[in-house]
């Protein structure tokens, strides 16, 4: 496995030095940059797209929560702060972990190992799409491992998406973009038919003459922008002789 890349952003120089020393002690973890100013950090984060960002929350100008909302999809946040009351808020930006200062090395290492397992799972999914897959999503304060075959459809609402599963009476809600969900699901099993809907194609019950898809308990009308792609899919599955 290639080394995980990381960036440190903290307005306290001592905190930066401590985290740097932890990175040096950790196998397969590579520091690409560190910053004490969040504004300067933003450009580097967007250009480098590190795997991990160790991010303080309370900082001048742009605080850690604000910065986390503008990150590349490839970058996972591990918050570092002296204030435990921020723990719940960190879940709102889908943070990978939350470390209280003073950060202890064993806690730091556990967060890095969690990141490695998550990225390994995502990489395996990309490399082996023919195998039964699962995806991890953050629900409340925990990561849920969701079998791909149980997903019926996904509905996006602003910065959140709702996963509707065969065996769940209520959707699982997580902080993600529809683009991120679309990218992580196998293209032969899922199709985006609307700005706000991705469906499991094998679970479509019927399609009516008004271009409405019946799936689960939902009836989804396909808008013009997605209609051509859907009709191509439908033609590939239709027996009409």
């Amino acid at each position: 496995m290639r080394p995980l890349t990381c960036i440190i952003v903290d307005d306290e120089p001592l905190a930066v030095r401590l985290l740097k020393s932890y990175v040096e002690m950790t196998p397969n973890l590579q520091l690409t940059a560190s910053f004490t100013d969040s504004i300067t950090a933003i450009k580097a984060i967007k250009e480098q797209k590190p795997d991990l960002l160790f991010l303080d929350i309370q900082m001048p100008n742009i605080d850690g929560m604000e910065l986390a909302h503008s990150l590349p999809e490839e970058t996972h946040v591990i918050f570092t702060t002296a204030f435990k009351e921020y723990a719940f808020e960190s879940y709102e930006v889908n943070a990978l972990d939350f470390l209280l200062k003073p950060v202890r090395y064993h806690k730091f290492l556990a967060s890095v190992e969690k990141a490695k397992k998550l990225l390994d799972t995502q990489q395996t999914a990309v490399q082996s799409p023919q195998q039964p897959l699962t995806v991890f999503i953050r629900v409340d304060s925990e990561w849920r491992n969701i079998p791909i075959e149980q997903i019926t459809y996904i509905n996006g609402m602003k910065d959140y998406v709702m996963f509707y599963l065969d065996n769940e009476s209520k959707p699982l809600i997580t902080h993600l973009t529809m683009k991120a969900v679309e990218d992580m699901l196998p293209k032969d099993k899922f199709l985006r038919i609307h700005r706000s809907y991705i469906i499991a194609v094998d679970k479509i019950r019927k399609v009516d003459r008004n271009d409405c898809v019946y799936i689960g308990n939902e009836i989804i009308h396909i808008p013009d922008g997605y209609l051509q792609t859907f009709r191509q899919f439908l033609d590939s599955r239709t027996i009409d002789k």
Side-chain angles (χ1 to χ4, degrees):
M1 177 184 174
R2 67 168 178 83
L4 296 185
T5 57
C6 68
I7 286 178
I8 297 167
V9 183
D10 196 311
D11 65 328
E12 300 175 10
L14 286 176
V16 172
R17 284 201 293 271
L18 178 65
L19 292 178
K20 279 184 175 181
S21 70
Y22 288 171
V23 173
E24 291 172 358
M25 295 164 58
T26 306
N28 294 318
L29 184 61
Q30 177 185 347
L31 181 68
T32 61
S34 63
F35 300 90
T36 55
D37 172 48
S38 54
I39 293 179
T40 308
I42 291 175
K43 182 179 179 182
I45 294 166
K46 290 184 175 180
E47 288 177 351
Q48 297 182 24
K49 297 180 175 61
D51 298 309
L52 295 178
L53 177 63
F54 295 96
L55 180 61
D56 189 18
I57 293 178
Q58 277 203 332
M59 291 185 292
N61 299 318
I62 299 176
D63 68 26
M65 289 297 176
E66 291 176 286
L67 195 155
H69 281 289
S70 65
L71 293 179
E73 292 176 356
E74 301 92 332
T75 299
H76 299 276
V77 178
I78 296 176
F79 279 118
T80 60
T81 180
F83 303 95
K84 63 182 179 181
E85 56 268 26
Y86 286 116
F88 180 78
E89 192 176 352
S90 72
Y91 299 133
E92 294 296 308
V93 294
N94 213 29
L96 179 67
D97 215 342
F98 182 90
L99 297 175
L100 277 175
K101 294 179 178 179
V103 177
R104 305 299 183 191
Y105 180 64
H106 72 281
K107 295 285 188 181
F108 175 92
L109 186 59
S111 291
V112 173
E113 290 301 322
K114 183 187 293 186
K116 287 179 180 177
K117 289 179 182 178
L118 175 61
L119 293 171
D120 279 348
T121 300
Q122 293 174 343
Q123 185 64 27
T124 300
V126 170
Q127 293 175 347
S128 307
Q130 74 280 7
Q131 300 298 322
L133 301 177
T134 63
V135 292
F136 283 89
I137 62 171
R138 168 85 79 173
V139 180
D140 297 324
S141 60
E142 61 186 15
W143 289 93
R144 291 283 300 272
N145 191 15
I146 309 301
I148 290 288
E149 67 271 12
Q150 290 182 10
I151 300 173
T152 305
Y153 66 94
I154 299 102
N155 178 208
M157 296 182 66
K158 293 186 178 180
D159 295 329
Y160 292 85
V161 294
M162 296 180 287
F163 283 73
Y164 288 82
L165 308 181
D166 295 339
N167 61 344
E168 299 273 354
S169 59
K170 295 181 179 179
L172 303 182
I173 302 173
T174 188
H175 188 281
L176 276 175
T177 65
M178 287 292 282
K179 179 64 166 60
V181 175
E182 188 177 12
D183 288 345
M184 75 180 178
L185 293 175
K187 301 295 187 290
D188 60 330
K189 297 182 181 297
F190 292 86
L191 185 65
R192 190 166 184 175
I193 61 167
H194 189 284
R195 185 172 180 271
S196 302
Y197 286 95
I198 297 170
I199 62 169
V201 293
D202 289 341
K203 297 184 181 181
I204 298 172
R205 298 202 310 279
K206 68 176 181 177
V207 182
D208 68 22
R209 62 183 179 180
N210 296 314
D211 298 313
C212 290
V213 171
Y214 293 68
I215 188 167
N217 295 320
E218 194 79 21
I219 302 173
I220 307 164
H221 179 260
I222 305 174
D224 291 343
Y226 293 86
L227 201 51
Q228 182 178 355
T229 301
F230 181 75
R231 285 177 175 169
Q232 288 173 349
F233 155 75
L234 204 59
D235 287 345
S236 71
R237 294 284 191 98
T238 299
I239 300 174
D240 187 16
K241 299 293 185 182

